[in-house]
Amino acid sequence: MTTVFKFGGASIKDADAIRQLTPLIEAHQDRPLVVVVSAMGKTTNKLEALLAAARDESRTDEYRQCLDSLQTEHSEAMEALFGDADDSPSERVRALFDELDAQHRKHRQSAYAKHYDQTVCYGELISTTIVAAWLNHQGIATDWHDARELVRTDSCHQAANIDWHTTAETIRERIAQSERVNLTQGFVGGTEEGDATTLGREGSDFSAAIFAHCLDAQEVVIWKDVTGLFNADPRRFDNAVQLERISYAEATELAWHGAKVIHPKTLGPLQEKSIPLIVRSFETPDAAPTIIEAERRFDGDVASCILRENQVWVEVRPRDFSFMDEPRQHDILGRLVEAGMHANLVDSGAMRFVFCLDDKPERLEPLIESLKKDYEVTRQNELTLLTVRHPRQGMLDALSEGRETLAERRNDTTAQRLFRSRECPDTWRLPE
């Protein structure tokens, strides 16, 4: 049965990192293998900056500098890997950069979301071209596949929806019988008309799940720079511990509340076919991983904490002192949907409806202006939302000590509190 590997940007950030892929893939060549790869390092962030410059005719010099810098970074990686070898992919990569440049000229006047997808996808197209060439250079027979042709989606740019029937047929036709390593891009899909689409930021995990679902894979392995999932961000909590086993449902809850290890859409396609998801470290591949599967009996063993920073608290009230009833709540939530925003915390009263949002000005500000036309709106910025799954007695109070709680929500498994960011420490500690 097929195994699906996913390598994120950190695992291929430079030539040394790409070299480390060889033994990991060689060790699993006894089975059909699909490898899903992200853009190198922080390339996607740099492509987003490039896109912003491309859409502003006054920033032509900045655009050219950004493009040249990206091309230099990838050229240096290829030089370190291949030297003067005949099988260096330098010509193909140069052609992809030329295509990227042409896409900016073609789509400068297009809607931002479409322009985004036609250009940002080149991070994955370039990285996979280099990685596929390197694996073949090392004697690992590898086929490169264009995900724009394999993962069929609608034209909802930046958050495309999968045409599962067509995608499954295409993936099975092109990959299922192959005995070679099949390498493709994460995060990327394509429409029937040939336009590139993306599946949402950090969507490469979801891509791995799509391929696994369509191929009835045995397992998905996500290779990261950590040994697995932790009950809190180890960079912010100095005593975070690894979760050994959790269920699809628990992993989905953690992702929904802001844990940044697994993309929220990843678990559904795997759960449907009972395909386990394994999170391993590419730096210490023999270390015990985290296993995500159907079994739920371990979910409450360890409390988990999630921080969401750069939050905005929005309170909406009717202007005529009428009730904040179902029609008004429906209207407000509908505007959130139209703005493409997710409420991280929601509360309501007789004459108020409040929610906590990520501070994304390009979406938040139009939403606020829309609400102000019909409601009284107040807001607070620079907030931090703490979410605790399966909190122990007194745990939330201990984590809140010394900070004013601006809002709170809780149920039988989850508790949330909102604080001013300036009152929060750089490093937190979980109560013993």
Side-chain angles (χ1 to χ4, degrees), residues 28 95 214 261 319 342 425-426 430:
H28 294 83
C214 293
V261 180
R319 286 180 172 155
H342 164 62
D426 292 332
L430 297 168

Side-chain angles (χ1 to χ4, degrees), residues 80-375:
L81 290 168
F82 299 96
D84 296 328
D86 292 337
D87 56 356
S88 170
S90 57
E91 290 298 323
R92 175 60 182 144
V93 168
R94 187 176 298 112
L96 287 169
F97 272 104
D98 289 342
E99 290 179 19
L100 170 61
D101 192 26
Q103 291 285 12
H104 285 306
R105 293 193 299 272
K106 178 180 179 180
H107 290 286
R108 182 175 287 119
Q109 303 303 321
S110 299
Y112 177 85
K114 183 173 183 178
H115 189 181
Y116 182 99
D117 284 357
Q118 305 322 300
T119 57
V120 174
C121 65
Y122 278 86
E124 279 72 14
L125 294 169
I126 292 166
S127 68
T128 53
T129 298
I130 295 171
V131 173
W134 170 249
L135 294 177
N136 280 307
H137 184 73
Q138 293 295 295
I140 301 174
T142 302
D143 288 331
W144 181 92
H145 298 274
D146 190 335
R148 294 174 296 182
E149 300 174 358
L150 297 177
V151 181
R152 178 63 54 79
T153 74
D154 63 11
S155 58
C156 183
H157 292 289
Q158 290 189 277
N161 300 294
I162 308 300
D163 177 344
W164 285 99
H165 177 74
T166 303
T167 297
E169 281 191 343
T170 305
I171 288 175
R172 289 167 187 160
E173 176 184 341
R174 299 196 187 183
I175 289 180
Q177 305 305 318
S178 174
E179 296 182 358
R180 298 161 63 89
V181 173
N182 291 278
L183 188 140
T184 191
Q185 304 80 40
F187 175 59
V188 175
T191 67
E192 185 177 359
E193 293 76 26
D195 291 329
T197 55
T198 58
L199 308 181
R201 201 64 160 82
E202 310 295 341
S204 292
D205 292 348
F206 184 33
S207 294
I210 292 168
F211 281 89
H213 181 277
C214 293
L215 293 169
D216 297 313
Q218 179 179 359
E219 62 184 8
V220 174
V221 181
I222 294 180
W223 295 92
K224 291 187 171 287
D225 54 0
V226 292
T227 52
L229 302 185
F230 285 73
N231 72 327
D233 185 346
R235 296 167 297 184
R236 300 300 306 277
F237 290 79
D238 60 10
N239 58 342
V241 297
Q242 185 172 329
L243 302 170
E244 296 180 2
R245 288 179 179 269
I246 59 173
S247 69
Y248 300 119
E250 182 66 17
T252 300
E253 289 281 354
L254 294 174
W256 174 261
H257 288 294
K260 298 183 183 300
V261 180
I262 303 297
H263 189 280
K265 292 184 178 179
T266 302
L267 283 307
L270 302 182
Q271 182 176 13
E272 186 175 332
K273 293 195 173 181
S274 299
I275 300 170
L277 174 63
I278 302 170
V279 182
R280 288 190 178 277
S281 169
F282 58 81
E283 295 177 343
T284 54
D286 294 330
T290 294
I291 300 174
I292 302 172
E293 57 186 357
E295 180 60 63
R296 304 186 67 160
R297 62 193 174 100
F298 304 106
D299 288 351
D301 288 355
V302 179
S304 295
C305 292
I306 303 151
L307 292 176
R308 293 190 89 128
E309 298 174 306
N310 299 316
Q311 297 295 291
V312 178
W313 179 244
V314 180
E315 180 173 310
V316 183
R317 293 178 177 271
R319 286 180 172 155
D320 58 0
F321 284 86
S322 58
F323 290 127
M324 184 57 74
D325 55 13
E326 287 80 1
R328 285 188 171 85
Q329 292 188 27
H330 177 79
D331 173 54
I332 294 167
L333 290 173
R335 298 191 198 197
L336 261 70
V337 173
E338 291 176 2
M341 301 205 74
H342 164 62
N344 302 319
L345 183 153
V346 175
D347 195 8
S348 63
M351 293 188 294
R352 62 194 287 269
F353 190 77
V354 291
F355 44 87
C356 189
L357 304 171
D358 294 335
D359 190 358
K360 297 180 177 179
E362 70 282 1
R363 297 188 179 190
L364 176 63
E365 301 309 326
L367 171 65
I368 296 293
E369 291 306 311
S370 170
L371 290 169
K372 283 182 176 179
K373 294 176 181 178
D374 301 298
Y375 302 94

Side-chain angles (χ1 to χ4, degrees), residues 382-401:
E382 298 181 2
L383 307 177
T384 294
L385 178 63
L386 170 69
T387 300
V388 184
R389 290 281 297 165
H390 312 290
R392 304 290 181 260
Q393 183 71 31
M395 187 177 190
L396 200 61
D397 289 338
L399 287 166
S400 306
E401 187 174 353

Side-chain angles (χ1 to χ4, degrees), residues 51-103:
L51 180 64
R55 293 180 68 82
D56 186 343
E57 293 183 3
S58 68
R59 298 168 64 184
T60 301
D61 290 344
E62 180 185 346
Y63 166 79
R64 186 54 54 186
Q65 290 171 2
C66 290
L67 186 63
D68 290 346
S69 175
L70 275 169
Q71 195 157 2
T72 297
E73 289 177 10
H74 288 82
S75 295
E76 288 174 349
M78 288 186 288
E79 174 66 24
L81 290 168
F82 299 96
D84 296 328
D86 292 337
D87 56 356
S88 170
S90 57
E91 290 298 323
R92 175 60 182 144
V93 168
R94 187 176 298 112
L96 287 169
F97 272 104
D98 289 342
E99 290 179 19
L100 170 61
D101 192 26
Q103 291 285 12

